[in-house]
Amino acid sequence: MSGEDLRVCAPQRTCCNAEMEENFIQRSSRDFEKLMDDTSEELRDAFMTGHKRFDEFFLELLENTERSLNEMFLRTYGKPYLQNAEVFQGLFAELKRYYTGGNVNLEEMLNDFWMRLLERMFQLLNSQYVITEDYLECIGKYMEQLKPFGDVPKKLKSQVTRAFIAARTFVQGLVVGREVANRVSKVNMSSACVSGFTKMLYCSYCQGLFTLKPCNNYCLNVMKGCLANQADLDPEWSKYIDAMLLLTERLEGPFNIESVMEPIDVKISEAIMNMQENSMQLSYQVFQGCGQLEPSGMSRSARGVSDTFSGRFSPYNPEELPTAAAASRLDRLVTDVKEKLKKFRKFWSLLPEAFCQEEHVAAAESTEDDCWNGHDKGRYVPEVLKDGLTNQVNNPEVGVDISRPDTLIRQQIMALKVMTNKLKNAYDGNDIYFQDSNDESSASGSGSGCTETCVTEPDSFITDAPVQEAEKTDEASSASIIQPNLLLLVLTALALKEHWR
């Protein structure tokens, strides 16, 4: 036939009519969608599986750590722990809320935990006195000076904040990668793309060239035109992948949440023991700062505190020691995801090549003279264009409007930029949700902002005790500090010891 009624295939002597051509157009649209789906399946699956595994691991780690702490503290401290268990339950609830996306400032939350623990411990160790809420509030004002738990809170705060920032941000990064991959792999084909793809795959049939495959370079130009917007995603996608890979270094090294969480019960117990061993000096300093307490008329033993801290904390029985295999689970997860991230770094710019390497789509590069060039059997002459929207202005196979970038792709580029910024902050130990607006130069967020190369000033010893009159007659006196007399300190300690006997 003459082919005058054909819209896509060349209007020359042809075996096709308009109905057949329409059939080819519809089939090519389905072929393109399936090709895109098949080619991106591994990418989408990698992010979906990676997110699922990491998320399950982090949540399971939190649950196991809380259960371990509960069992061990119950075994070691008994009833006093049960009476104050909500302090520890609150800590883990807030950690979980932060990890799952809650608006939690980790530093403030951890400071609050230690403050509550100080109040409960002080009440237990001084249960022979009447302790009011106002008095407990006064104690809190001198937390930094007293350092009742030694340096454990400071060290743990740095470790926990950095580890949780890294873990949460990394999982969020996997979610963003998954969502971008899902959305971008659903291509809205332009009419020009449909026509170009149909001509490439099926118009050879109309010439009776049923077995001839499209030339490889011809296929590349068609795909670069159809996937021009996807290729524009590539620069920001590569930066995002690089930022994810950098953060995996932290997950494996100084920000390893597994190595932080597993011994957290031992660390907290060390802090408790430190306060217990220094309780007499601590109580004296508190009495100097907040005033002498009134006796309650009940002895410590009468209040059931005699068995409170009788034994040293033992974290594991020999048979309960975690195995090396269990301890390396995070390492295995990280190693696996790193390999996949590296593999998909240039995914979007290499998509045309991936399409044209499919055996049923295009001929091999070696058969450049024995292929379909869009008009007949023979070599494809036009040069292969570069990637991206702006480079398609003179695409010979697909008409592309370079003045109208795809809105969906622009949105995904912005999402990747935002996520990359979060990942870079997490790499430095910072949480961008809680940047300190009063001290921008510090770049401190809910994380310490300090990497393993940080040098911090050593803690000064407590040489000055806070002083406050019992009646709080002078507001200024509550913040004043005096040097305690050494002899008075010794005599008071002995007197307290006799009293507690």
Side-chain angles (χ1 to χ4, degrees), residues 215-219 221 368-369 371-385 396-397:
C215 300
N216 192 268
N217 284 351
Y218 174 32
C219 175
N221 271 345
E368 57 182 337
D369 292 321
C371 53
W372 169 249
N373 61 21
H375 301 282
D376 207 339
K377 177 182 176 180
R379 182 185 294 265
Y380 181 74
V381 178
E383 64 174 338
V384 177
L385 301 177
E397 311 305 335

Side-chain angles (χ1 to χ4, degrees), residues 80-369:
Y81 168 69
L82 278 177
Q83 293 171 337
N84 298 280
E86 74 273 10
V87 176
F88 302 93
Q89 291 165 359
L91 169 67
F92 283 97
E94 286 297 282
L95 287 174
K96 184 175 181 180
R97 190 164 77 88
Y98 172 83
Y99 169 72
T100 54
N103 190 29
V104 178
N105 185 313
L106 283 175
E107 283 197 358
E108 290 180 3
M109 184 273 292
L110 289 167
N111 288 340
D112 184 60
F113 164 74
W114 290 110
M115 189 69 71
R116 292 183 67 196
L117 187 59
L118 170 62
E119 292 174 358
R120 299 297 180 92
M121 285 286 297
F122 189 83
Q123 287 174 306
L124 283 171
L125 293 168
N126 295 277
S127 55
Q128 71 272 35
Y129 295 111
V130 176
I131 305 174
T132 64
E133 288 297 320
D134 287 342
Y135 199 89
L136 291 176
E137 186 177 340
C138 174
I139 296 173
K141 293 178 181 178
Y142 303 115
M143 178 89 171
E144 282 296 312
Q145 291 169 295
L146 296 172
K147 288 187 170 55
F149 301 113
D151 62 352
V152 173
K154 182 179 180 181
K155 288 182 178 178
L156 207 57
K157 181 164 65 174
S158 173
Q159 293 169 350
V160 168
T161 52
R162 296 187 307 180
F164 269 80
I165 289 166
R168 180 170 90 160
T169 308
F170 188 76
V171 170
Q172 286 177 341
L174 290 171
V175 171
V176 169
R178 181 191 69 192
E179 293 304 310
V180 169
N182 285 339
R183 289 169 182 158
V184 179
S185 61
K186 305 296 182 186
V187 179
N188 291 322
M189 294 177 70
S190 66
S191 58
C193 172
V194 173
S195 296
F197 197 64
T198 303
K199 181 181 177 183
M200 181 184 86
L201 283 188
Y202 294 111
C203 285
S204 58
Y205 290 19
C206 297
Q207 304 299 318
L209 304 172
F210 304 109
T211 60
L212 209 59
K213 295 177 183 178
C215 300
N216 192 268
N217 284 351
Y218 174 32
C219 175
L220 286 174
N221 271 345
V222 172
M223 291 298 105
K224 285 175 184 283
C226 287
L227 300 169
N229 283 288
Q230 279 70 21
D232 278 353
L233 188 73
D234 198 67
E236 203 56 49
W237 176 266
S238 296
K239 292 176 186 176
Y240 152 77
I241 294 291
D242 289 342
M244 288 285 286
L245 287 169
L246 273 175
L247 194 55
T248 61
E249 295 178 9
R250 297 300 205 206
L251 290 175
E252 291 177 306
F255 299 177
N256 187 318
I257 193 172
E258 195 173 24
S259 63
V260 169
M261 291 304 292
E262 283 187 346
I264 199 169
D265 44 14
V266 181
K267 301 283 187 184
I268 294 174
S269 183
E270 285 176 4
I272 290 172
M273 289 299 178
N274 186 78
M275 181 169 176
Q276 179 195 357
E277 290 170 356
N278 297 288
S279 61
M280 290 175 61
Q281 181 181 351
L282 177 70
S283 296
Y284 165 74
Q285 290 177 314
V286 169
F287 296 157
Q288 287 291 302
C290 299
Q292 184 64 46
L293 290 167
E294 294 182 10
S296 64
M298 296 178 67
S299 67
R300 296 176 74 217
S301 58
R303 290 202 173 197
V305 187
S306 58
D307 59 346
T308 303
F309 306 110
S310 56
R312 268 288 175 188
F313 184 76
S314 54
Y316 296 108
N317 290 327
E319 65 272 15
E320 293 175 338
L321 285 169
T323 64
S328 64
R329 185 177 167 193
L330 178 60
D331 291 337
R332 294 199 305 273
L333 285 173
V334 171
T335 299
D336 182 59
V337 80
K338 275 167 64 177
E339 291 176 1
K340 289 183 169 63
L341 288 171
K342 290 174 183 176
K343 180 179 180 179
F344 296 121
R345 186 177 180 275
K346 303 296 290 182
F347 179 83
W348 302 107
S349 60
L350 294 176
L351 206 49
E353 283 84 351
F355 273 39
C356 298
Q357 284 172 0
E358 293 290 335
E359 188 178 351
H360 63 282
V361 175
E365 293 182 47
S366 58
T367 57
E368 57 182 337
D369 292 321

Side-chain angles (χ1 to χ4, degrees), residues 72-84 307-308:
M72 294 171 190
F73 274 44
L74 187 59
R75 185 171 66 234
T76 304
Y77 301 130
K79 185 179 177 182
Y81 168 69
L82 278 177
Q83 293 171 337
N84 298 280
D307 59 346
T308 303

